[in-house]
Amino acid sequence: MVPRLKTALTGPLQDLERRILERMPDIERWFRAKWHEHEVPFYASVDLRNAGFKLAPVDTNLFPGGFNNLNPAFLPLCVQAVQTAVERICPDARGVMLVPENHTRNVHYLSNVATLENVLKQAGMNVRIGSLIPDLAGPTRVEASNGASLLLEPIVRHGRRVGVEGFDPCMVLMNNDLSGGPPAILQGIDQPVAPPLAAGWYNRLKSHHFEVYHTVAQEFAELVGIDPWLVDPYFGVCGEINFQERAGEECLASNVDWLLGRIRAKYAEYGIDEKPFVIVKADAGTYGMGIMTVHDTAEVQGLNRKQRNKMAVVKEGLEVTSVIIQEGVPTFEAIDDAIAEPVVYMIDRFVVGGFYRVHAERGRDENLNAPGAQFVPLAFESPCLPDLAGPTGCAPNRFYAYGVIARVAQLAAAIEIGELEARSGTPAAAPSPVVA
Amino acid sequence: MVPRLKTALTGPLQDLERRILERMPDIERWFRAKWHEHEVPFYASVDLRNAGFKLAPVDTNLFPGGFNNLNPAFLPLCVQAVQTAVERICPDARGVMLVPENHTRNVHYLSNVATLENVLKQAGMNVRIGSLIPDLAGPTRVEASNGASLLLEPIVRHGRRVGVEGFDPCMVLMNNDLSGGPPAILQGIDQPVAPPLAAGWYNRLKSHHFEVYHTVAQEFAELVGIDPWLVDPYFGVCGEINFQERAGEECLASNVDWLLGRIRAKYAEYGIDEKPFVIVKADAGTYGMGIMTVHDTAEVQGLNRKQRNKMAVVKEGLEVTSVIIQEGVPTFEAIDDAIAEPVVYMIDRFVVGGFYRVHAERGRDENLNAPGAQFVPLAFESPCLPDLAGPTGCAPNRFYAYGVIARVAQLAAAIEIGELEARSGTPAAAPSPVVA
């Protein structure tokens, strides 16, 4: 379910938002049934773009790193949801080992870890932070930007159990996206790991996620009675890219061309006066590196050295060998003239809050997950009674639609994780180039 | 779990509060295990008294009537918890029939119903209000004090299913405390009824609740390492009272005498400089009618006509035939010089908020649930990191202890309901007079 949250927009509900709001009981029932079939991820964050005519996820993160950007008023929701999540994974739990990213110099990220630690503690857990930093000599205290102090401890393993010195946790909660692969010390252990190691970025492909999302979105669209395209961005994949060696440029150009054509046709069908564009990004990896906006096929032909360097590498120096070419969804939300996109946070099957990622120097057709982005926590909307049949002046609950689409993406991620686990830890094969 | 809430008190944590806060992981684990053994009530509210040295429930309501007194900021917590509750009872649910009290002239109570309806709707349910008003001709619109409008509809029954015209709900949610007995139209139906009819006040006895609470509190006290008396009020019962005919006065006097003596001994043991008192109230029923504060056995001997009339009848004209004599717990909380007692609200196994019941004209040893009481919604406390090891200036989370004791009472209610249901609808027998 989705708490009533304030959005950047104040205008009347768009047709899509209204349809989703009207079908609320059916949608919630659909989700309940789905969560009986698929194990819900421990947590997730979904980046959305709302173009007014279209509302779609553009990225689904299974190791959310922005809990510190949530409004503190949301923490009780987080705590309540964490209790449900822990109850499911480890009903006898008292101890959770939280495994964060290794970059201890990012003090904002450390604030995220501190917030998460606090949520777990308030949910009644004993929490220790187990670090994967290879040369961590012993317990090490680091300071976060929010004033919190974190104690990072080396992970120790005894047989098939892991923990930190003097602490045998019931479960391991990963907040490390495993771009570098599954750590040996966490493999083959008895304790449950959430999200599972198979969900790490070393193993995930955005194209796989959106392939699953495509299927789930079809079913959702049928339920709500809409054209699936309204919630599902077209995409294609080029699996054998080497930017430095200019390999795969033809595949890239033909996909861009094909996608721009399909988007143009849809825009014509709906009378949308926008210039179609696509986003090219690394198929594996995160952190908004290696991303470009393309309006014309010529832009991906004959990339110069600087452009190629930018696209060639993502986090932890991983080389980009596969890219996803995704329909661009322009955002029509702005806060104080700066372009904004909502990021929705979920724990277990609950929307627990979110924030706007705002970038003053980026356009409405650009990736906002880039240096210079700022975060505006979402606030609760003052409720007014009665809900849907409210008097004039009762703000429409636009955010409900955001929470729904974010959960459709979360459901896709759940199915995706199931498939990755079934492949038992081997990296996911790239799907066929053109899927949508 | 308990959201961080502001309390009326600002002083340092009392020893009891601190012990409870320190044992948080063990306590939460204990509750998780208990909710595997006993079905958690759909919702409950618990009136608490905090004497500083002692923190205890004084009433547990299974049909809470003050959702309108919760801070609107808590509604998302309520919505999230309702989803869990509905999921448990009726996973395929889209439709809930809410059955309120019949008194439509209490516009504040109608605000409670409207708030509950809104929470259910926001949780994705279709909600209709089925009324037990005997002569309700057809759908009738009534206005609540908060501006909401409610449509009361006559309950219709087809075979073993109930609903309202054109609506076949998946479950029936009772917000009617059934002081008048289980309505025939709701008996023997196929749909789940929550809380069950057996939990109605026609069938509950406060003494039975506190008898179960006594057992649960023993176990809890052992877990936390405290004297059970610190969370458990002594009580006795007189089962054959007739105030009008002065029957049972001796039993009352001897119980009062016995309890005052026991309290005096405990006060001496802990060096507490308070005047012991007991509360005499109807063993069945609610709404704070028929309650008196007694400091001396002589006060219950030779009651005058006015006092006897006041004690003789509770809600819906029910005659008082049994009373519980309970150790009085003085409240040491006050808001603006008015005596205050916390009321904690739970949905499913989650604390979702609460408020202070405040009465400017009552003393700290008196019942506050009386005409003239006002309600001060609890606010979230601004969280500070880290939690327990916080720097000076970080407010102690005193409310956590309140949420724990309220949940111990809720657990007792769960066991109590199970026992009432096992007796399959026959009224609970009064336990032996002296139990504590």
Side-chain angles (χ1 to χ4, degrees):
Chain A
M1 244 310 304
V2 179
R4 288 187 75 96
L5 301 176
K6 275 190 187 137
T7 61
L9 290 167
T10 52
L13 284 182
Q14 300 282 325
D15 183 55
L16 173 61
E17 294 164 336
R18 178 166 296 284
R19 271 171 188 264
I20 291 175
L21 201 50
E22 282 168 359
R23 300 302 299 275
M24 191 168 172
D26 296 317
I27 292 170
E28 295 300 329
R29 181 169 176 251
W30 182 75
F31 277 122
R32 278 197 297 276
K34 289 296 175 190
W35 294 133
H36 278 279
E37 289 170 43
H38 305 284
E39 189 179 359
V40 64
F42 190 93
Y43 48 21
S45 69
V46 175
D47 296 357
L48 295 174
R49 304 287 289 220
N50 184 4
F53 59 87
K54 176 162 189 159
L55 172 60
V58 294
D59 205 3
T60 303
N61 188 350
L62 292 167
F63 306 92
F67 280 98
N68 54 314
N69 295 323
L70 299 183
N71 191 323
F74 290 121
L75 292 185
L77 278 176
C78 294
V79 169
Q80 194 171 300
V82 156
Q83 282 239 326
T84 302
V86 168
E87 169 78 28
R88 194 168 39 72
I89 293 172
C90 196
D92 199 38
R94 267 180 304 188
V96 173
M97 180 169 77
L98 177 60
V99 179
E101 299 285 345
N102 289 353
H103 37 60
T104 56
R105 281 176 304 183
N106 183 340
V107 291
H108 297 306
Y109 174 71
L110 294 179
S111 294
N112 164 67
V113 178
T115 305
L116 208 45
E117 182 187 19
N118 191 48
V119 166
L120 290 162
K121 280 187 174 168
Q122 295 222 25
M125 305 291 131
N126 290 318
V127 188
R128 300 275 282 272
I129 302 173
S131 174
L132 290 168
I133 296 174
D135 50 358
L136 194 72
T140 305
R141 203 159 269 288
V142 292
E143 309 295 322
S145 59
N146 65 353
S149 165
L150 293 171
L151 188 66
L152 308 181
E153 300 183 73
I155 298 175
V156 292
R157 179 163 176 164
H158 299 290
R160 293 174 60 86
R161 294 194 72 85
V162 294
V164 296
E165 185 63 34
F167 182 70
D168 182 65
C170 169
M171 66 173 283
V172 178
L173 178 59
M174 300 301 296
N175 196 251
N176 181 310
D177 70 15
L178 302 174
S179 289
I185 199 168
L186 297 179
Q187 289 183 52
I189 59 173
D190 284 341
Q191 292 124 312
V193 178
L197 297 182
W201 268 126
Y202 77 93
N203 201 28
R204 282 185 79 198
L205 289 176
K206 291 188 171 73
S207 53
H208 178 210
H209 176 69
F210 281 100
E211 185 189 359
V212 178
Y213 180 80
H214 177 66
T215 309
V216 177
Q218 297 269 1
E219 191 180 329
F220 172 78
E222 197 171 318
L223 175 77
V224 181
I226 54 168
D227 176 353
W229 176 73
L230 297 176
V231 296
D232 186 18
Y234 288 140
F235 75 100
V237 180
C238 288
E240 297 191 3
I241 289 279
N242 186 323
F243 280 101
Q244 303 291 19
E245 295 177 12
R246 322 198 78 133
E249 264 191 16
E250 253 176 59
C251 171
L252 189 54
S254 74
N255 263 286
V256 168
D257 200 50
W258 175 78
L259 282 170
L260 288 174
R262 290 191 76 183
I263 302 166
R264 206 170 289 121
K266 274 292 180 188
Y267 280 10
E269 178 186 338
Y270 286 96
I272 294 160
D273 187 24
E274 292 276 351
K275 190 174 162 63
F277 68 100
V278 298
I279 301 285
V280 179
K281 51 191 173 185
D283 202 4
T286 178
Y287 279 82
M289 297 165 89
I291 295 187
M292 63 189 288
T293 301
V294 180
H295 293 85
D296 192 300
T297 311
E299 293 171 47
V300 293
Q301 290 165 323
L303 293 175
N304 64 31
R305 176 177 297 273
K306 192 180 159 197
Q307 288 168 318
R308 282 185 281 127
N309 283 347
K310 188 189 152 205
M311 290 301 293
V313 179
V314 289
K315 194 193 165 201
E316 302 198 358
L318 285 183
E319 205 173 319
V320 174
T321 56
S322 172
V323 296
I324 175 172
I325 307 102
Q326 192 173 39
E327 175 187 349
V329 181
T331 177
F332 87 136
E333 297 188 275
I335 295 176
D336 295 338
D337 296 334
I339 298 304
E341 65 184 16
V343 181
V344 178
Y345 268 62
M346 284 149 296
I347 296 178
D348 205 84
R349 58 203 161 83
F350 303 105
V351 173
V352 293
F355 49 82
Y356 276 95
R357 184 182 289 121
V358 179
H359 208 304
E361 287 150 37
R362 295 281 172 131
R364 50 196 289 273
D365 56 359
E366 284 185 287
N367 169 51
L368 304 186
N369 192 358
Q374 294 194 303
F375 303 99
V376 179
L378 283 162
F380 287 120
E381 188 152 50
S382 46
C384 41
L385 296 165
D387 191 21
L388 294 172
T392 318
C394 199
N397 195 355
R398 150 168 286 130
F399 199 89
Y400 179 71
Y402 295 8
V404 167
I405 299 303
R407 285 184 290 159
V408 176
Q410 186 195 22
L411 174 58
I415 297 169
E416 178 198 353
I417 294 175
E419 292 178 1
L420 291 173
E421 285 195 293
R423 289 175 206 167
S424 58
T426 54
S432 52
V434 171
V435 180
Chain B
M1 244 311 304
V2 179
R4 286 188 76 96
L5 302 176
K6 275 190 187 138
T7 62
L9 290 167
T10 53
L13 285 182
Q14 300 284 324
D15 183 53
L16 173 61
E17 295 164 337
R18 179 167 297 284
R19 272 172 188 263
I20 291 176
L21 201 49
E22 281 167 1
R23 301 300 302 273
M24 190 168 172
D26 296 318
I27 292 170
E28 295 300 330
R29 181 169 175 252
W30 182 75
F31 277 121
R32 280 196 296 275
K34 289 296 175 191
W35 294 133
H36 278 280
E37 289 169 42
H38 305 284
E39 190 180 0
V40 64
F42 190 94
Y43 47 22
S45 69
V46 175
D47 297 356
L48 295 175
R49 304 285 291 218
N50 184 5
F53 60 87
K54 176 164 189 159
L55 171 61
V58 294
D59 205 5
T60 302
N61 187 352
L62 292 167
F63 306 91
F67 280 99
N68 54 314
N69 295 324
L70 299 183
N71 191 321
F74 290 122
L75 291 185
L77 277 176
C78 293
V79 169
Q80 195 171 298
V82 156
Q83 282 238 327
T84 302
V86 169
E87 168 78 28
R88 197 169 36 75
I89 294 173
C90 197
D92 199 38
R94 268 180 303 188
V96 174
M97 180 168 78
L98 177 60
V99 179
E101 298 285 346
N102 289 353
H103 36 62
T104 55
R105 280 176 304 183
N106 183 340
V107 290
H108 298 306
Y109 174 71
L110 295 180
S111 294
N112 164 69
V113 178
T115 305
L116 208 45
E117 182 188 19
N118 191 47
V119 165
L120 290 162
K121 280 188 175 170
Q122 295 221 25
M125 304 291 131
N126 289 318
V127 188
R128 301 275 282 272
I129 302 173
S131 175
L132 290 168
I133 296 175
D135 50 358
L136 193 71
T140 305
R141 203 159 270 287
V142 291
E143 309 296 322
S145 60
N146 65 353
S149 164
L150 292 172
L151 188 66
L152 308 181
E153 301 182 73
I155 297 176
V156 292
R157 179 163 176 166
H158 299 290
R160 294 173 60 87
R161 294 194 74 84
V162 294
V164 297
E165 185 63 34
F167 182 69
D168 182 65
C170 170
M171 67 172 282
V172 178
L173 178 59
M174 299 301 296
N175 197 252
N176 181 310
D177 71 14
L178 302 173
S179 289
I185 199 168
L186 297 179
Q187 288 182 53
I189 59 173
D190 283 341
Q191 291 125 311
V193 178
L197 297 182
W201 267 125
Y202 78 93
N203 201 29
R204 282 186 79 198
L205 289 176
K206 290 188 173 71
S207 54
H208 177 211
H209 175 69
F210 281 100
E211 185 190 0
V212 178
Y213 179 80
H214 178 67
T215 309
V216 177
Q218 296 269 3
E219 191 179 330
F220 172 79
E222 197 171 318
L223 175 76
V224 181
I226 54 168
D227 176 354
W229 176 74
L230 296 176
V231 296
D232 186 19
Y234 288 140
F235 75 100
V237 181
C238 287
E240 297 192 4
I241 290 279
N242 186 324
F243 280 101
Q244 303 291 20
E245 295 176 12
R246 323 198 77 135
E249 263 190 20
E250 254 176 61
C251 171
L252 189 54
S254 73
N255 263 286
V256 168
D257 200 49
W258 174 79
L259 282 170
L260 288 175
R262 291 192 73 184
I263 301 166
R264 206 170 289 120
K266 274 292 180 188
Y267 281 10
E269 177 186 339
Y270 285 97
I272 294 162
D273 185 23
E274 292 276 352
K275 190 175 163 59
F277 67 100
V278 299
I279 301 286
V280 180
K281 49 190 173 185
D283 201 3
T286 178
Y287 280 82
M289 298 165 88
I291 295 188
M292 64 190 289
T293 300
V294 179
H295 292 86
D296 193 299
T297 310
E299 294 171 45
V300 293
Q301 290 165 324
L303 293 175
N304 63 31
R305 175 177 296 274
K306 193 180 159 197
Q307 289 167 318
R308 284 187 279 126
N309 283 346
K310 188 188 152 203
M311 290 300 295
V313 178
V314 288
K315 195 193 166 201
E316 302 199 355
L318 285 183
E319 206 173 321
V320 173
T321 55
S322 172
V323 296
I324 175 171
I325 307 101
Q326 192 170 39
E327 174 188 350
V329 181
T331 177
F332 87 135
E333 297 188 275
I335 294 176
D336 295 339
D337 296 333
I339 298 305
E341 66 185 15
V343 182
V344 179
Y345 268 63
M346 284 148 296
I347 296 178
D348 204 84
R349 59 203 160 82
F350 303 104
V351 172
V352 293
F355 48 82
Y356 276 95
R357 183 182 290 122
V358 180
H359 207 304
E361 287 150 37
R362 295 281 172 130
R364 49 197 288 274
D365 57 358
E366 285 184 287
N367 168 51
L368 303 186
N369 192 358
Q374 294 194 303
F375 304 98
V376 179
L378 283 162
F380 288 120
E381 188 152 50
S382 46
C384 42
L385 296 166
D387 191 21
L388 294 171
T392 318
C394 200
N397 195 355
R398 151 167 284 131
F399 198 90
Y400 179 71
Y402 294 9
V404 167
I405 299 303
R407 285 183 291 160
V408 177
Q410 186 195 22
L411 174 59
I415 297 169
E416 178 198 353
I417 294 176
E419 292 178 3
L420 291 173
E421 284 196 293
R423 290 175 205 168
S424 59
T426 54
S432 53
V434 171
V435 181

